[in-house]
Amino acid sequence: MELKHEFKNAWEVERENNKIEEVMSYSKEYMNFLDHGKTERTSAREIVKIAKVNGYISIEEAIEKGKVSAGEKIYAVNKDKAVAMFVMGKNKLEKGMKVIGGHIDVPRIDLKPNPLYQEANLGFFKTHYYGGIKKYQWTATPLAIHGVVILNDGKKVDICIGEDPSDPVFCITDLLVHLAGDQMQKKLADGITGEGLNILIGHIPLEGEEKEPIEQNILKILNEKYGMVEEDFLSAEIEVVPAGKARDLGFDRSMVLAYGHDDRVCSYGAVKAVIETENPEYCAVVLCVDKEEVGSQGNTGMHSKFFENTVAELIALEGDYCDLKIRRSMAKSKVLSADVSAGYDPNFPDVYEKRNSAYMGHGIVLSKYTGSRGKSGCNDANAEFTAEVRRIFNNSGVVWQTAELGKVDQGGGGTIAYILANYGAEVIDCGVGVLNMHAPYEIVSKVDIYEMYKGYKAFFNLNI
Ligand code: MN
Ligand code: MN
């Protein structure tokens, strides 16, 4: 019996297991997912593609069929922005589910409804940022534009420009250091303001046009490419994100530098785990939701009734529908709230408590609670459930660690954990450590994300 506990280095464990190649190939698949899903909508569509290829049918098809049976695989899409995947269990839903829930929205910069203007021979878009960002990080870096525009005749047009190497990109300008004397004296938070996040988008005036000729020229280009006119911006959802693909980081290619690990990294791990889950004892569920970064509200966030309503549909398809079964199903569920944690960054040791931090390379992270100050606003997982997850990981050879999000009283954060816990479900936060969280490019360890996928799969398949 080991009296002392020490966290393991997952690279050493997986080298021993001869799994380094698998670690690397998992990250390659994940990076491909990131490159195709740069917004909540495109991520949702990628997840649906993965589901379909792996034999999932839509909830609408299941309803059409009129019944569900054990082992059947079903997905449900919520307004093109969130997805739920189910593998029906040997037990009926009222016995509870095993749920892994992540989010696919990421901090970004949205266009304002009326974005287009020109000044000093330059064309710009006005923006409104989404989620928690350090604004100065978004200047002087190439940006891509994604989104949907609904034309006046109702036609929905997808926009994507800046991702293909032959595409143009966009940029928020920053002040040259030579003239930044005043700016450099400001607090980091005030160096670039919210209203200063204007995106440079063009420069050539439209021939023969006297009034706002640069705006007119940009509108002409947009009209030729997408069939849109300026009024269409008023109802559009257009998102600006860092341009380009996920990249290997380090001489040893041990990490991934990319936009949007938080929280596509956990969402992808959960999707990958559920598509490899066959005939589970309890219904295995993956939720990839929207709006986590802005409080989980609205009809695509975790607070919406989408999940509960889908469970109700499935209970109806099992036969003998009654409301009580939904309540039982939710209350008896066991949930991993799949979200990232703050990876310990030795460049900023002051904000972490080094005995309770998520270390890069120490595997999947269990966070019993999040919140701020005196655990305010947290979901504090019960000891019994925390221990159950620990046993599942230990019995499956998953390398895992525990962590808090930074020092006590330093700050804090939250996830969707409390929302499902409010139904009575057992919920614990469980993800991976990230460096540069919420920056345009975030960093994860390839071995950590592999341990996460292994851990999620074990959670679906092992019942202790
Ligand atoms: Mn997150
Ligand atoms: Mn976040």
Side-chain angles (χ1 to χ4, degrees):
M1 193 211 306
E2 283 291 342
L3 288 177
K4 279 285 290 168
H5 172 262
E6 243 164 82
F7 292 116
K8 294 190 192 107
N9 186 310
W11 288 110
E12 281 160 14
V13 172
E14 296 308 343
R15 188 159 45 214
E16 195 102 321
N17 293 342
N18 268 325
K19 292 286 187 192
I20 298 297
E21 223 168 281
E22 214 172 284
V23 168
M24 294 297 179
S25 75
Y26 174 82
S27 73
K28 213 169 246 170
E29 281 177 39
Y30 165 57
M31 289 161 79
N32 184 51
F33 169 76
L34 281 181
D35 292 344
H36 289 92
K38 296 201 63 171
T39 68
E40 71 285 20
R41 284 178 190 264
T42 50
S43 297
R45 289 174 200 169
E46 284 304 307
I47 292 164
V48 169
K49 262 193 228 164
I50 294 170
K52 280 182 174 167
V53 168
N54 286 280
Y56 283 66
I57 62 165
S58 71
I59 185 78
E60 292 79 16
E61 288 170 88
I63 292 168
E64 183 87 359
K65 233 169 34 142
K67 70 172 177 55
V68 287
S69 34
E72 214 169 336
K73 298 169 176 184
I74 293 151
Y75 71 89
V77 183
N78 187 9
K79 302 183 198 309
D80 204 20
K81 294 179 178 178
V83 187
M85 296 167 76
F86 300 81
V87 187
M88 302 308 291
K90 290 176 193 154
N91 291 301
K92 289 268 160 87
L93 280 163
E94 66 174 308
K95 299 284 183 201
M97 302 168 278
K98 287 228 177 167
V99 182
I100 304 182
H103 65 94
I104 49 177
D105 63 315
V106 175
R108 60 176 190 254
I109 297 176
D110 288 342
L111 295 200
K112 289 194 185 192
N114 189 15
L116 182 63
Y117 72 101
Q118 71 168 80
E119 215 169 311
N121 295 333
L122 300 169
F124 291 96
F125 278 150
K126 290 297 296 177
T127 68
H128 197 139
Y129 66 96
Y130 172 98
I133 62 168
K134 290 160 110 175
K135 298 176 194 89
Y136 70 88
Q137 292 179 332
W138 293 72
T139 64
T141 188
L143 300 168
I145 296 178
H146 293 255
V148 295
V149 177
I150 316 292
L151 306 184
N152 201 36
D153 63 4
K155 191 178 163 215
K156 186 166 159 180
V157 181
D158 287 313
I159 292 205
C160 172
I161 183 156
E163 299 295 354
D164 191 278
S166 67
D167 279 355
V169 291
F170 308 90
C171 190
I172 298 168
T173 57
D174 197 358
L175 194 54
L176 63 165
V177 70
H178 315 69
L179 295 179
D182 289 346
Q183 186 198 36
M184 298 291 268
Q185 298 309 314
K186 288 183 184 168
K187 285 192 296 180
L188 211 47
D190 303 330
I192 299 289
T193 62
E195 289 296 348
L197 293 172
N198 302 313
I199 298 175
L200 183 58
I201 53 166
H203 176 52
I204 302 177
L206 185 64
E207 196 181 347
E209 195 63 52
E210 295 203 345
K211 210 168 157 275
E212 281 111 26
I214 294 166
E215 287 180 46
Q216 294 277 6
N217 196 44
I218 289 161
L219 286 170
K220 183 170 169 266
I221 293 167
L222 288 173
N223 185 265
E224 282 165 6
K225 198 166 160 76
Y226 301 112
M228 67 180 288
V229 295
E230 190 173 24
E231 191 187 291
D232 295 322
F233 277 120
L234 301 176
S235 60
E237 285 183 344
I238 301 179
E239 305 178 4
V240 180
V241 302
K245 293 180 190 294
R247 303 288 296 267
D248 285 339
L249 192 152
F251 288 113
D252 53 7
R253 297 178 180 270
S254 51
M255 294 164 274
V256 181
L257 179 76
Y259 169 66
H261 286 313
D262 174 14
D263 183 37
R264 293 183 195 127
V265 70
C266 300
S267 299
Y268 182 76
V271 168
K272 177 93 172 143
V274 82
I275 62 174
E276 293 176 5
T277 298
E278 303 283 341
N279 292 306
E281 289 293 317
Y282 296 92
C283 180
V285 184
V286 167
L287 301 174
C288 300
V289 297
D290 181 32
K291 296 287 183 287
E292 193 276 344
E293 296 292 356
V294 292
S296 297
Q297 304 287 349
N299 62 10
T300 57
M302 194 63 233
H303 277 298
S304 87
K305 296 273 186 235
F306 168 69
F307 177 48
E308 192 181 334
N309 289 346
T310 309
V311 171
E313 292 284 4
L314 291 171
I315 286 174
L317 290 170
E318 282 183 339
D320 295 326
Y321 175 86
C322 89
D323 178 69
L324 189 57
K325 287 183 182 174
I326 305 169
R327 294 173 194 234
R328 284 180 183 151
S329 181
M330 301 294 279
K332 287 184 181 165
S333 286
K334 292 174 178 174
V335 183
L336 299 184
S337 168
D339 209 342
V340 297
S341 188
Y344 182 87
D345 186 339
N347 282 320
F348 302 95
D350 296 350
V351 301
Y352 298 91
E353 193 269 281
K354 63 181 196 296
R355 295 174 200 286
N356 287 281
S357 289
Y359 285 90
M360 305 302 279
H362 280 184
I364 189 168
V365 180
L366 282 178
S367 297
K368 189 175 179 296
Y369 47 83
T370 54
S372 48
R373 301 181 305 282
K375 299 192 180 181
S376 184
C378 77
N379 166 68
D380 201 341
N382 294 313
E384 292 84 348
F385 181 55
T386 308
E388 184 178 326
V389 176
R390 175 184 145 207
R391 277 203 304 282
I392 290 173
F393 290 171
N394 281 341
N395 285 333
S396 310
V398 174
V399 182
W400 63 280
Q401 58 182 324
T402 54
E404 290 196 24
L405 192 88
K407 266 186 184 169
V408 177
D409 287 344
Q410 184 65 45
T415 66
I416 62 169
Y418 72 96
I419 304 167
L420 284 168
N422 286 349
Y423 284 96
E426 296 283 6
V427 188
I428 188 165
D429 279 294
C430 180
V432 288
V434 173
L435 301 177
N436 288 359
M437 199 197 292
H438 284 207
Y441 298 95
E442 302 175 316
I443 298 164
V444 294
S445 155
K446 289 186 180 179
V447 82
D448 289 341
I449 68 177
Y450 178 76
E451 297 305 322
M452 172 189 66
Y453 145 69
K454 253 171 72 176
Y456 288 171
K457 206 167 142 180
F459 174 71
F460 280 142
N461 288 285
L462 200 58
N463 296 292
I464 291 179

